[in-house]
């Protein structure tokens, strides 16, 4: 019998602003750049294949994903890039989503969740991407968006098995 491997999520919440990083010699003028706000594992420690599918098209396939197969952003913060490069050999399905897109999502749309090990149930995106799991992520992003704008806050992610 072949066992089912779990999928883990990794990433960063990033904010785009004109902060100048003095450690970079070429940073002599303010440019809008992405900076790490917090590593995802500080605010999310779950493993929900249905939520991963709903958000990023990884594992669960009950919903049209909000941000599938976007790839790792070329303009990602140095911290996110270093972490992704460090884990790249075992990583897959990198993507990202802005706070603006999350705000615009139809959280009441429904899909069938379940399958081989559980009966299918019709649930909303809001029920699949549960507040008790993702609430801290959304709270951090919302606070940053209030200060920097919804288009200037994003969640960059990648997965491993």
């Amino acid at each position: 019998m072949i066992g089912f491997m779990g999928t883990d999520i990794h990433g960063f919440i990033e904010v785009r602003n004109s902060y100048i990083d003095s450690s970079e010699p070429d940073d002599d003028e303010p440019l809008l750049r992405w900076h790490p706000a917090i590593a995802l594992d500080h605010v999310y420690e779950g493993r929900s294949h249905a939520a991963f599918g709903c958000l990023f098209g990884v594992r669960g396939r009950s919903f049209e994903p909000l941000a599938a197969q976007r790839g790792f952003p070329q303009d990602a913060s140095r911290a996110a890039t270093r972490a992704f490069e460090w884990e790249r050999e075992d990583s897959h399905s990198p993507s990202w989503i802005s706070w603006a897109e999350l705000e615009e999502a139809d959280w009441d749309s429904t899909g069938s969740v379940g399958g081989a090990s559980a009966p299918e149930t019709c649930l909303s995106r809001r029920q699949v991407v549960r507040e008790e799991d993702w609430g801290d992520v959304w709270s951090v992003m919302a606070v940053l968006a209030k200060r920097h704008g919804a288009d200037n806050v994003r969640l960059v992610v990648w997965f491993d098995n």
Side-chain angles (χ1 to χ4, degrees):
M1 183 175 159
I2 297 173
F4 179 72
M5 292 183 71
T7 298
D8 294 313
I9 189 170
H10 307 275
F12 279 82
I13 296 172
E14 296 184 322
V15 62
R16 181 171 48 192
N17 62 31
S18 60
Y19 167 77
I20 297 174
D21 183 346
S22 60
S23 68
E24 285 295 311
D26 296 336
D27 284 347
D28 56 357
E29 63 182 67
L31 299 171
L32 287 178
R33 294 183 184 210
W34 290 99
H35 303 278
I38 190 168
L40 183 59
D41 63 355
H42 292 304
V43 290
Y44 179 82
E45 60 183 6
R47 179 190 279 174
S48 170
H49 296 155
F52 298 167
C54 180
L55 293 168
F56 302 107
V58 175
R59 289 285 190 181
R61 300 287 179 184
S62 303
F63 294 86
E64 180 68 30
L66 296 177
Q69 304 301 319
R70 289 184 171 177
F72 190 81
Q74 290 183 352
D75 61 350
S77 66
R78 285 191 305 269
T81 300
R82 280 193 303 263
F84 178 69
E85 291 294 329
W86 177 261
E87 299 169 357
R88 178 172 249 167
E89 186 174 311
D90 298 321
S91 297
H92 62 86
S93 308
S95 198
W96 59 271
I97 190 166
S98 72
W99 181 247
E101 292 171 297
L102 288 165
E103 283 185 313
E104 294 294 319
D106 181 0
W107 291 99
D108 295 319
S109 66
T110 58
S112 296
V113 178
S117 62
E120 286 200 9
T121 306
C122 187
L123 298 174
S124 70
R125 277 188 196 277
R126 189 179 320 280
Q127 291 171 305
V128 170
V129 185
R130 302 175 337 168
E131 177 69 24
E132 55 265 31
D133 295 331
W134 291 87
D136 291 342
V137 176
W138 303 155
S139 293
V140 169
M141 292 180 78
V143 167
L144 291 169
K146 184 176 178 185
R147 183 177 218 42
H148 300 281
D151 288 324
N152 293 317
V153 176
R154 70 181 176 190
L155 175 60
V156 176
V157 299
W158 58 92
F159 299 84
D160 68 36
N161 296 336

